[in-house]
Amino acid sequence: MGKLTYVKSASQLLCMDTGHGPRTGKGMSMLGIIADGSVVIEDGIIVFAGSDALAAQFLGTRRGEVEVIDASGKVVAPGLVDPHTHVVYAGSRENELELRLQGEKYTDILQRGGGILNTARSTREASEEELIRQALTRLDRFLLHGVTTIEAKSGYGLTVKDELKQLRAARELDRRHPIDVVPTFMGAHAVPEEYRSHPESYVNLVIEEMLPAVAERGLAEYCDVFCEQGVFDIAESGRILEAAERLGFKLKIHADEIAKNFGGAELAAKLEAVSAEHLLKTSEEGIRALAKSGTIAVLLPGTALFLMERAADARSMIDGGVAVALSTDCNPGSSPTVSMPFIMNAACLTMRMTPAEVLVASTINAAHAIGRGNEIGSIETGKRGDLVLFDVSNYRQLQYYYGMNLVHTVIKNGRTVVKGGVLV
Ligand SMILES: O=C(O)CC1=NCN=C1
Ligand SMILES: [Zn+2]
């Protein structure tokens, strides 16, 4: 019988246990709140979630060491999940912010060899250990912002060797850091300079060499493609994703970020991708297609803000029956942040999502977007003991006191990893 962790007397315990699968429509507003709630975790797994009174009864039947964490006056939620990051990379691109402030477009910078290709140069030069070292610091900051599981994409190597290096680094992060890391292959992030005169050969390299190399090493669960005007078009994106599916990868797609009605969402729905990401410029037909296929819309309001673009039409998606998740899109070019709390604020203030919807989108729906909806994302017996204690007395205050990090304590697999806002 293992040590018990007893998180007691939360002013609000947000169980997120009011449904199955990704939440849609009204389900996105149902938090499963227990006032004066308690959670008991044993050997990293939740063994009790309910009222204080029932927790005392439950504990009365148990012997052994109990670590008590007083959550009175605080909101206890499932550990936040970030389903879309490019967290493994070297270098930085602060110069591009000023270029864009002067009016240069993101795609113009990429076309002339900057942007993703800038990060590719520094990532190719960096050793695997250096990539790990830089990313570990970002993961510490994710933890301080309440995030206990993230997805991590490759896509800054753009050669077989360097894409494998990035994905091995992601696997090492998962091993070394408390945060769980779900890996995604994204060799189709941009066409590297050495292939600019013959991009179709790069598509063939992704399909014929990179995908098999990643698959036989078991280095990624998902394949993602930057489906965008001037990057990978609908036909190329479809070829790559269909090849990936044949090799057993689950599918994601960066869709409709920049060009209007490019058809990325429709492609995601046609391929029944697990998720479609960005969706800033998605058409009404695209939204209907996502609802029909059950593809999760992973929205990135921080990226929209940082690119100084209008945010995705979350309201039409939620009202249209699409399951919505949120993410930082942590990357050095279009969203250099790890703050899920800021993303939740931005989702309310720029996409009119409610305080309840952003919590569902940052926990259970985000968990389903990376295939972990049965293990994390809600506070239910049998799920991982991943919790975040916020220093507010009710969940609405998380979006009311905006621009602040209100994380007090983070518990990962039943172990306290952040206390009083500092790593322990
Ligand atoms: O610019 C980057 O490094 C990340 C990105 N990929 C697609 N959109 C943004
Ligand atoms: Zn991205």
Side-chain angles (χ1 to χ4, degrees), residues 350-386:
T350 68
M351 299 197 294
R352 295 182 174 278
M353 288 176 67
T354 66
E357 289 171 338
V358 300
L359 274 159
V360 168
S362 306
T363 54
I364 189 66
N365 276 9
H368 279 292
I370 52 174
R372 296 297 189 277
N374 295 327
E375 293 163 51
I376 56 173
S378 62
I379 301 176
E380 300 180 70
T381 51
K383 285 207 166 177
R384 275 185 191 285
D386 294 358

mmCIF file of all heavy atoms in Angstrom, residues 350-386:
data_model
loop_
_atom_site.group_PDB
_atom_site.id
_atom_site.type_symbol
_atom_site.label_atom_id
_atom_site.label_comp_id
_atom_site.label_asym_id
_atom_site.label_seq_id
_atom_site.Cartn_x
_atom_site.Cartn_y
_atom_site.Cartn_z
ATOM 1 N N THR A 350 -10.338 37.424 -26.592
ATOM 2 C CA THR A 350 -10.270 37.631 -28.063
ATOM 3 C C THR A 350 -11.163 36.647 -28.825
ATOM 4 O O THR A 350 -11.383 36.825 -30.007
ATOM 5 C CB THR A 350 -8.822 37.449 -28.574
ATOM 6 O OG1 THR A 350 -8.445 36.070 -28.433
ATOM 7 C CG2 THR A 350 -7.840 38.324 -27.815
ATOM 8 N N MET A 351 -11.663 35.603 -28.159
ATOM 9 C CA MET A 351 -12.519 34.631 -28.866
ATOM 10 C C MET A 351 -13.857 34.452 -28.147
ATOM 11 O O MET A 351 -14.661 33.603 -28.514
ATOM 12 C CB MET A 351 -11.813 33.272 -28.992
ATOM 13 C CG MET A 351 -10.517 33.300 -29.772
ATOM 14 S SD MET A 351 -9.967 31.669 -30.324
ATOM 15 C CE MET A 351 -9.612 30.889 -28.739
ATOM 16 N N ARG A 352 -14.058 35.247 -27.048
ATOM 17 C CA ARG A 352 -15.336 35.188 -26.321
ATOM 18 C C ARG A 352 -15.696 33.785 -25.826
ATOM 19 O O ARG A 352 -16.864 33.437 -25.729
ATOM 20 C CB ARG A 352 -16.482 35.749 -27.174
ATOM 21 C CG ARG A 352 -16.323 37.231 -27.467
ATOM 22 C CD ARG A 352 -17.481 37.811 -28.270
ATOM 23 N NE ARG A 352 -17.334 39.258 -28.389
ATOM 24 C CZ ARG A 352 -17.696 40.140 -27.457
ATOM 25 N NH1 ARG A 352 -18.246 39.708 -26.314
ATOM 26 N NH2 ARG A 352 -17.507 41.437 -27.609
ATOM 27 N N MET A 353 -14.671 33.008 -25.479
ATOM 28 C CA MET A 353 -14.973 31.736 -24.789
ATOM 29 C C MET A 353 -15.228 32.074 -23.326
ATOM 30 O O MET A 353 -14.668 33.011 -22.776
ATOM 31 C CB MET A 353 -13.807 30.754 -24.949
ATOM 32 C CG MET A 353 -13.673 30.179 -26.351
ATOM 33 S SD MET A 353 -12.226 29.119 -26.583
ATOM 34 C CE MET A 353 -12.615 27.715 -25.524
ATOM 35 N N THR A 354 -16.083 31.298 -22.653
ATOM 36 C CA THR A 354 -16.408 31.602 -21.253
ATOM 37 C C THR A 354 -15.331 31.023 -20.332
ATOM 38 O O THR A 354 -14.576 30.134 -20.745
ATOM 39 C CB THR A 354 -17.761 30.964 -20.873
ATOM 40 O OG1 THR A 354 -17.593 29.533 -20.927
ATOM 41 C CG2 THR A 354 -18.873 31.405 -21.811
ATOM 42 N N PRO A 355 -15.278 31.489 -19.070
ATOM 43 C CA PRO A 355 -14.312 30.917 -18.116
ATOM 44 C C PRO A 355 -14.446 29.404 -17.968
ATOM 45 O O PRO A 355 -13.442 28.694 -17.830
ATOM 46 C CB PRO A 355 -14.653 31.639 -16.809
ATOM 47 C CG PRO A 355 -15.194 32.956 -17.253
ATOM 48 C CD PRO A 355 -15.957 32.672 -18.510
ATOM 49 N N ALA A 356 -15.656 28.881 -18.062
ATOM 50 C CA ALA A 356 -15.833 27.414 -17.956
ATOM 51 C C ALA A 356 -15.311 26.733 -19.223
ATOM 52 O O ALA A 356 -14.571 25.742 -19.155
ATOM 53 C CB ALA A 356 -17.309 27.081 -17.751
ATOM 54 N N GLU A 357 -15.608 27.286 -20.397
ATOM 55 C CA GLU A 357 -15.177 26.668 -21.662
ATOM 56 C C GLU A 357 -13.657 26.606 -21.775
ATOM 57 O O GLU A 357 -13.087 25.612 -22.236
ATOM 58 C CB GLU A 357 -15.778 27.439 -22.844
ATOM 59 C CG GLU A 357 -17.276 27.239 -23.004
ATOM 60 C CD GLU A 357 -17.892 28.187 -24.033
ATOM 61 O OE1 GLU A 357 -17.294 29.246 -24.319
ATOM 62 O OE2 GLU A 357 -18.983 27.880 -24.552
ATOM 63 N N VAL A 358 -12.977 27.665 -21.333
ATOM 64 C CA VAL A 358 -11.510 27.650 -21.484
ATOM 65 C C VAL A 358 -10.893 26.604 -20.561
ATOM 66 O O VAL A 358 -9.843 26.033 -20.875
ATOM 67 C CB VAL A 358 -10.865 29.037 -21.247
ATOM 68 C CG1 VAL A 358 -11.381 30.070 -22.210
ATOM 69 C CG2 VAL A 358 -10.971 29.497 -19.824
ATOM 70 N N LEU A 359 -11.548 26.319 -19.429
ATOM 71 C CA LEU A 359 -11.015 25.276 -18.535
ATOM 72 C C LEU A 359 -11.190 23.886 -19.168
ATOM 73 O O LEU A 359 -10.261 23.078 -19.182
ATOM 74 C CB LEU A 359 -11.700 25.345 -17.171
ATOM 75 C CG LEU A 359 -11.062 26.338 -16.196
ATOM 76 C CD1 LEU A 359 -12.026 26.735 -15.096
ATOM 77 C CD2 LEU A 359 -9.783 25.741 -15.603
ATOM 78 N N VAL A 360 -12.344 23.636 -19.750
ATOM 79 C CA VAL A 360 -12.560 22.348 -20.445
ATOM 80 C C VAL A 360 -11.584 22.215 -21.608
ATOM 81 O O VAL A 360 -10.969 21.168 -21.830
ATOM 82 C CB VAL A 360 -14.021 22.242 -20.946
ATOM 83 C CG1 VAL A 360 -14.192 21.079 -21.919
ATOM 84 C CG2 VAL A 360 -14.972 22.084 -19.757
ATOM 85 N N ALA A 361 -11.348 23.335 -22.322
ATOM 86 C CA ALA A 361 -10.475 23.323 -23.506
ATOM 87 C C ALA A 361 -9.007 23.148 -23.137
ATOM 88 O O ALA A 361 -8.187 22.764 -23.986
ATOM 89 C CB ALA A 361 -10.662 24.624 -24.297
ATOM 90 N N SER A 362 -8.656 23.436 -21.869
ATOM 91 C CA SER A 362 -7.248 23.348 -21.436
ATOM 92 C C SER A 362 -6.982 22.106 -20.586
ATOM 93 O O SER A 362 -5.873 21.933 -20.078
ATOM 94 C CB SER A 362 -6.893 24.593 -20.615
ATOM 95 O OG SER A 362 -7.190 25.751 -21.341
ATOM 96 N N THR A 363 -8.033 21.266 -20.422
ATOM 97 C CA THR A 363 -7.850 20.029 -19.643
ATOM 98 C C THR A 363 -8.356 18.844 -20.468
ATOM 99 O O THR A 363 -7.627 18.326 -21.294
ATOM 100 C CB THR A 363 -8.588 20.124 -18.288
ATOM 101 O OG1 THR A 363 -9.970 20.464 -18.523
ATOM 102 C CG2 THR A 363 -7.959 21.194 -17.397
ATOM 103 N N ILE A 364 -9.605 18.456 -20.302
ATOM 104 C CA ILE A 364 -10.075 17.198 -20.895
ATOM 105 C C ILE A 364 -10.057 17.235 -22.423
ATOM 106 O O ILE A 364 -9.629 16.243 -23.064
ATOM 107 C CB ILE A 364 -11.465 16.806 -20.341
ATOM 108 C CG1 ILE A 364 -11.855 15.394 -20.793
ATOM 109 C CG2 ILE A 364 -12.531 17.859 -20.688
ATOM 110 C CD1 ILE A 364 -10.993 14.284 -20.240
ATOM 111 N N ASN A 365 -10.453 18.349 -23.037
ATOM 112 C CA ASN A 365 -10.418 18.380 -24.515
ATOM 113 C C ASN A 365 -8.992 18.394 -25.056
ATOM 114 O O ASN A 365 -8.694 17.756 -26.067
ATOM 115 C CB ASN A 365 -11.204 19.605 -25.034
ATOM 116 C CG ASN A 365 -12.688 19.304 -25.113
ATOM 117 O OD1 ASN A 365 -13.160 18.251 -24.640
ATOM 118 N ND2 ASN A 365 -13.447 20.218 -25.707
ATOM 119 N N ALA A 366 -8.094 19.078 -24.349
ATOM 120 C CA ALA A 366 -6.685 19.081 -24.751
ATOM 121 C C ALA A 366 -6.099 17.674 -24.601
ATOM 122 O O ALA A 366 -5.326 17.205 -25.434
ATOM 123 C CB ALA A 366 -5.901 20.087 -23.913
ATOM 124 N N ALA A 367 -6.525 16.971 -23.553
ATOM 125 C CA ALA A 367 -6.051 15.598 -23.338
ATOM 126 C C ALA A 367 -6.496 14.686 -24.489
ATOM 127 O O ALA A 367 -5.707 13.898 -25.029
ATOM 128 C CB ALA A 367 -6.569 15.068 -22.008
ATOM 129 N N HIS A 368 -7.754 14.842 -24.916
ATOM 130 C CA HIS A 368 -8.239 14.014 -26.038
ATOM 131 C C HIS A 368 -7.515 14.368 -27.330
ATOM 132 O O HIS A 368 -7.302 13.508 -28.186
ATOM 133 C CB HIS A 368 -9.751 14.207 -26.205
ATOM 134 C CG HIS A 368 -10.571 13.394 -25.236
ATOM 135 N ND1 HIS A 368 -10.642 12.022 -25.283
ATOM 136 C CD2 HIS A 368 -11.330 13.760 -24.183
ATOM 137 C CE1 HIS A 368 -11.409 11.570 -24.306
ATOM 138 N NE2 HIS A 368 -11.844 12.605 -23.614
ATOM 139 N N ALA A 369 -7.080 15.611 -27.470
ATOM 140 C CA ALA A 369 -6.401 16.032 -28.711
ATOM 141 C C ALA A 369 -5.039 15.357 -28.869
ATOM 142 O O ALA A 369 -4.463 15.347 -29.960
ATOM 143 C CB ALA A 369 -6.229 17.559 -28.735
ATOM 144 N N ILE A 370 -4.509 14.772 -27.762
ATOM 145 C CA ILE A 370 -3.233 14.035 -27.858
ATOM 146 C C ILE A 370 -3.419 12.587 -27.398
ATOM 147 O O ILE A 370 -2.470 11.925 -26.961
ATOM 148 C CB ILE A 370 -2.113 14.732 -27.055
ATOM 149 C CG1 ILE A 370 -2.515 15.019 -25.607
ATOM 150 C CG2 ILE A 370 -1.679 16.015 -27.752
ATOM 151 C CD1 ILE A 370 -1.367 15.570 -24.744
ATOM 152 N N GLY A 371 -4.674 12.116 -27.461
ATOM 153 C CA GLY A 371 -4.941 10.695 -27.207
ATOM 154 C C GLY A 371 -4.777 10.271 -25.763
ATOM 155 O O GLY A 371 -4.563 9.105 -25.463
ATOM 156 N N ARG A 372 -4.879 11.215 -24.831
ATOM 157 C CA ARG A 372 -4.678 10.898 -23.407
ATOM 158 C C ARG A 372 -5.964 11.161 -22.600
ATOM 159 O O ARG A 372 -5.929 11.288 -21.378
ATOM 160 C CB ARG A 372 -3.531 11.743 -22.830
ATOM 161 C CG ARG A 372 -2.167 11.459 -23.456
ATOM 162 C CD ARG A 372 -1.705 10.050 -23.205
ATOM 163 N NE ARG A 372 -0.333 9.786 -23.588
ATOM 164 C CZ ARG A 372 0.072 9.495 -24.830
ATOM 165 N NH1 ARG A 372 -0.809 9.467 -25.797
ATOM 166 N NH2 ARG A 372 1.343 9.221 -25.072
ATOM 167 N N GLY A 373 -7.110 11.188 -23.281
ATOM 168 C CA GLY A 373 -8.364 11.526 -22.605
ATOM 169 C C GLY A 373 -8.809 10.504 -21.583
ATOM 170 O O GLY A 373 -9.614 10.810 -20.695
ATOM 171 N N ASN A 374 -8.251 9.277 -21.653
ATOM 172 C CA ASN A 374 -8.622 8.255 -20.660
ATOM 173 C C ASN A 374 -7.666 8.231 -19.467
ATOM 174 O O ASN A 374 -7.877 7.488 -18.513
ATOM 175 C CB ASN A 374 -8.666 6.876 -21.319
ATOM 176 C CG ASN A 374 -9.780 6.825 -22.367
ATOM 177 O OD1 ASN A 374 -10.825 7.480 -22.205
ATOM 178 N ND2 ASN A 374 -9.545 6.128 -23.461
ATOM 179 N N GLU A 375 -6.574 9.015 -19.541
ATOM 180 C CA GLU A 375 -5.573 8.967 -18.458
ATOM 181 C C GLU A 375 -5.499 10.262 -17.658
ATOM 182 O O GLU A 375 -5.176 10.261 -16.484
ATOM 183 C CB GLU A 375 -4.179 8.731 -19.065
ATOM 184 C CG GLU A 375 -3.976 7.380 -19.710
ATOM 185 C CD GLU A 375 -2.740 7.418 -20.617
ATOM 186 O OE1 GLU A 375 -1.674 7.851 -20.141
ATOM 187 O OE2 GLU A 375 -2.880 7.048 -21.787
ATOM 188 N N ILE A 376 -5.738 11.398 -18.349
ATOM 189 C CA ILE A 376 -5.576 12.714 -17.700
ATOM 190 C C ILE A 376 -6.719 13.622 -18.155
ATOM 191 O O ILE A 376 -7.611 13.193 -18.876
ATOM 192 C CB ILE A 376 -4.221 13.368 -18.084
ATOM 193 C CG1 ILE A 376 -4.095 13.495 -19.616
ATOM 194 C CG2 ILE A 376 -3.047 12.632 -17.484
ATOM 195 C CD1 ILE A 376 -2.870 14.266 -20.096
ATOM 196 N N GLY A 377 -6.695 14.861 -17.651
ATOM 197 C CA GLY A 377 -7.659 15.858 -18.135
ATOM 198 C C GLY A 377 -8.912 15.980 -17.291
ATOM 199 O O GLY A 377 -9.719 16.896 -17.476
ATOM 200 N N SER A 378 -9.111 15.060 -16.326
ATOM 201 C CA SER A 378 -10.242 15.196 -15.391
ATOM 202 C C SER A 378 -9.825 14.564 -14.061
ATOM 203 O O SER A 378 -8.809 13.858 -13.992
ATOM 204 C CB SER A 378 -11.485 14.478 -15.943
ATOM 205 O OG SER A 378 -11.225 13.094 -16.088
ATOM 206 N N ILE A 379 -10.594 14.865 -13.023
ATOM 207 C CA ILE A 379 -10.264 14.351 -11.677
ATOM 208 C C ILE A 379 -11.259 13.244 -11.372
ATOM 209 O O ILE A 379 -12.381 13.487 -10.912
ATOM 210 C CB ILE A 379 -10.322 15.481 -10.636
ATOM 211 C CG1 ILE A 379 -9.327 16.597 -11.002
ATOM 212 C CG2 ILE A 379 -9.999 14.929 -9.232
ATOM 213 C CD1 ILE A 379 -9.376 17.815 -10.089
ATOM 214 N N GLU A 380 -10.861 12.048 -11.734
ATOM 215 C CA GLU A 380 -11.730 10.868 -11.572
ATOM 216 C C GLU A 380 -10.872 9.695 -11.097
ATOM 217 O O GLU A 380 -9.694 9.595 -11.457
ATOM 218 C CB GLU A 380 -12.367 10.502 -12.929
ATOM 219 C CG GLU A 380 -13.213 11.592 -13.541
ATOM 220 C CD GLU A 380 -13.815 11.170 -14.878
ATOM 221 O OE1 GLU A 380 -14.707 10.298 -14.872
ATOM 222 O OE2 GLU A 380 -13.372 11.691 -15.921
ATOM 223 N N THR A 381 -11.456 8.806 -10.319
ATOM 224 C CA THR A 381 -10.662 7.655 -9.827
ATOM 225 C C THR A 381 -10.131 6.876 -11.031
ATOM 226 O O THR A 381 -10.826 6.704 -12.034
ATOM 227 C CB THR A 381 -11.532 6.730 -8.937
ATOM 228 O OG1 THR A 381 -12.715 6.420 -9.651
ATOM 229 C CG2 THR A 381 -11.872 7.396 -7.629
ATOM 230 N N GLY A 382 -8.868 6.459 -10.896
ATOM 231 C CA GLY A 382 -8.215 5.700 -11.966
ATOM 232 C C GLY A 382 -7.377 6.569 -12.884
ATOM 233 O O GLY A 382 -6.530 6.071 -13.621
ATOM 234 N N LYS A 383 -7.563 7.873 -12.833
ATOM 235 C CA LYS A 383 -6.764 8.772 -13.683
ATOM 236 C C LYS A 383 -5.494 9.175 -12.934
ATOM 237 O O LYS A 383 -5.370 9.011 -11.728
ATOM 238 C CB LYS A 383 -7.591 9.998 -14.086
ATOM 239 C CG LYS A 383 -8.628 9.654 -15.170
ATOM 240 C CD LYS A 383 -8.969 10.860 -16.019
ATOM 241 C CE LYS A 383 -9.709 10.492 -17.279
ATOM 242 N NZ LYS A 383 -10.094 11.684 -18.064
ATOM 243 N N ARG A 384 -4.536 9.741 -13.714
ATOM 244 C CA ARG A 384 -3.274 10.179 -13.105
ATOM 245 C C ARG A 384 -3.537 11.245 -12.046
ATOM 246 O O ARG A 384 -4.415 12.096 -12.216
ATOM 247 C CB ARG A 384 -2.388 10.825 -14.177
ATOM 248 C CG ARG A 384 -1.555 9.860 -14.960
ATOM 249 C CD ARG A 384 -0.648 10.661 -15.891
ATOM 250 N NE ARG A 384 -0.007 9.807 -16.855
ATOM 251 C CZ ARG A 384 1.012 9.003 -16.565
ATOM 252 N NH1 ARG A 384 1.488 8.986 -15.323
ATOM 253 N NH2 ARG A 384 1.549 8.237 -17.485
ATOM 254 N N GLY A 385 -2.726 11.216 -10.979
ATOM 255 C CA GLY A 385 -2.831 12.240 -9.944
ATOM 256 C C GLY A 385 -2.129 13.522 -10.352
ATOM 257 O O GLY A 385 -1.110 13.904 -9.774
ATOM 258 N N ASP A 386 -2.618 14.156 -11.406
ATOM 259 C CA ASP A 386 -2.062 15.422 -11.918
ATOM 260 C C ASP A 386 -3.059 16.529 -11.565
ATOM 261 O O ASP A 386 -4.178 16.543 -12.110
ATOM 262 C CB ASP A 386 -1.888 15.374 -13.441
ATOM 263 C CG ASP A 386 -0.847 14.364 -13.896
ATOM 264 O OD1 ASP A 386 -0.224 13.726 -13.025
ATOM 265 O OD2 ASP A 386 -0.680 14.205 -15.122
#
